[in-house]
Amino acid sequence: MNQTKITLTPEQEQAKDRLLAFINSDARAIILQGHAGTGKTTIIKEVERQRKAYEMLMQSIKPTTKYKWVYTAMTHKAREALEGALGHEASTLHKYLGLRPTRAAGTLAQHKFLPKERNVLLIIDECSYLDYSLLGYLNKYLDHNPTSKVILLG
C-alpha cells in the first residue's frame, strides 16, 4: 500500500473519525455515503492505515482486536477499480459470500458455505446495488461471524 501522507478535507476527517469510532464500537455495520469522487476510497485507505498503526502500537500495551480487511464490490468493473485505487486484492461480494445466480431470473443460490472468520472488516463498494436477497445473505454472514463488521460504501 502506498504510504504517502494523505491530506483529508474537514468533511473527510469527520468521516474518518466516525469510521475509526465504529471499528472500536460494538456496532456491526456502517454506511459511508457520498457522490462519486468525494473521497470514500481515500477515507477507507486512511482509516486502514491509522487502524493498523494503532494495532501495532497497542500490541505491546494491551490486547486489541486485529481485523482482517476484506474488500468487495458489487461488479467486476467496480472490483477492478477498487483494486487499482487501494493496491489490495478485492473480490465481488457474490464470490466472497459463495453465491451464484440460478436459472430462475434474479435469484441467487449459495454454492459454498458462508465464510466463517473472526474479526473481519468487510468493505462493500457500490452498495447501492445491494438488493433484498443480497442483504439477506449479508445478514446470514454477520450471524455466522459475530466478531465481524461491515462497512458499506456508496
Side-chain angles (χ1 to χ4, degrees):
M1 178 165 46
N2 187 351
Q3 295 298 318
T4 305
K5 177 72 172 121
I6 299 170
T7 303
L8 301 177
T9 67
E11 294 84 9
Q12 290 171 328
E13 281 286 343
Q14 185 178 34
K16 178 201 69 165
D17 292 343
R18 286 185 178 168
L19 285 171
L20 287 168
F22 159 74
I23 293 168
N24 291 320
S25 76
D26 292 333
R28 302 291 307 281
I30 192 169
I31 299 172
L32 178 59
Q33 183 180 357
H35 295 289
T38 57
K40 296 179 297 292
T41 304
T42 300
I43 293 166
I44 289 294
K45 282 170 72 170
E46 187 62 9
V47 167
E48 181 182 14
R49 186 190 69 76
Q50 286 189 18
R51 176 62 193 197
K52 287 186 174 181
Y54 171 80
E55 289 172 358
M56 284 179 60
L57 176 69
M58 295 306 289
Q59 72 184 5
S60 62
I61 299 169
K62 71 173 187 170
T64 258
T65 302
K66 289 184 93 168
Y67 284 98
K68 174 183 174 187
W69 294 66
V70 175
Y71 292 95
T72 65
M74 298 303 299
T75 66
H76 288 287
K77 189 170 187 163
R79 177 196 58 79
E80 289 171 1
L82 191 61
E83 284 181 344
L86 294 171
H88 290 298
E89 185 177 317
S91 72
T92 64
L93 180 62
H94 299 79
K95 181 177 179 180
Y96 181 72
L97 295 178
L99 302 173
R100 286 199 179 140
T102 64
R103 291 184 187 259
T107 62
L108 296 168
Q110 232 171 320
H111 70 95
K112 294 191 293 188
F113 290 111
L114 282 171
K116 188 147 178 91
E117 303 175 287
R118 294 186 52 77
N119 305 327
V120 169
L121 272 175
L122 177 61
I123 293 93
I124 304 171
D125 196 17
E126 301 293 345
C127 72
S128 61
Y129 289 102
L130 282 170
D131 61 14
Y132 288 116
S133 174
L134 274 172
L135 284 172
Y137 283 108
L138 192 54
N139 279 332
K140 283 183 190 176
Y141 170 82
L142 287 172
D143 287 345
H144 282 76
N145 297 282
T147 61
S148 295
K149 297 174 177 265
V150 175
I151 299 174
L152 300 161
L153 305 177

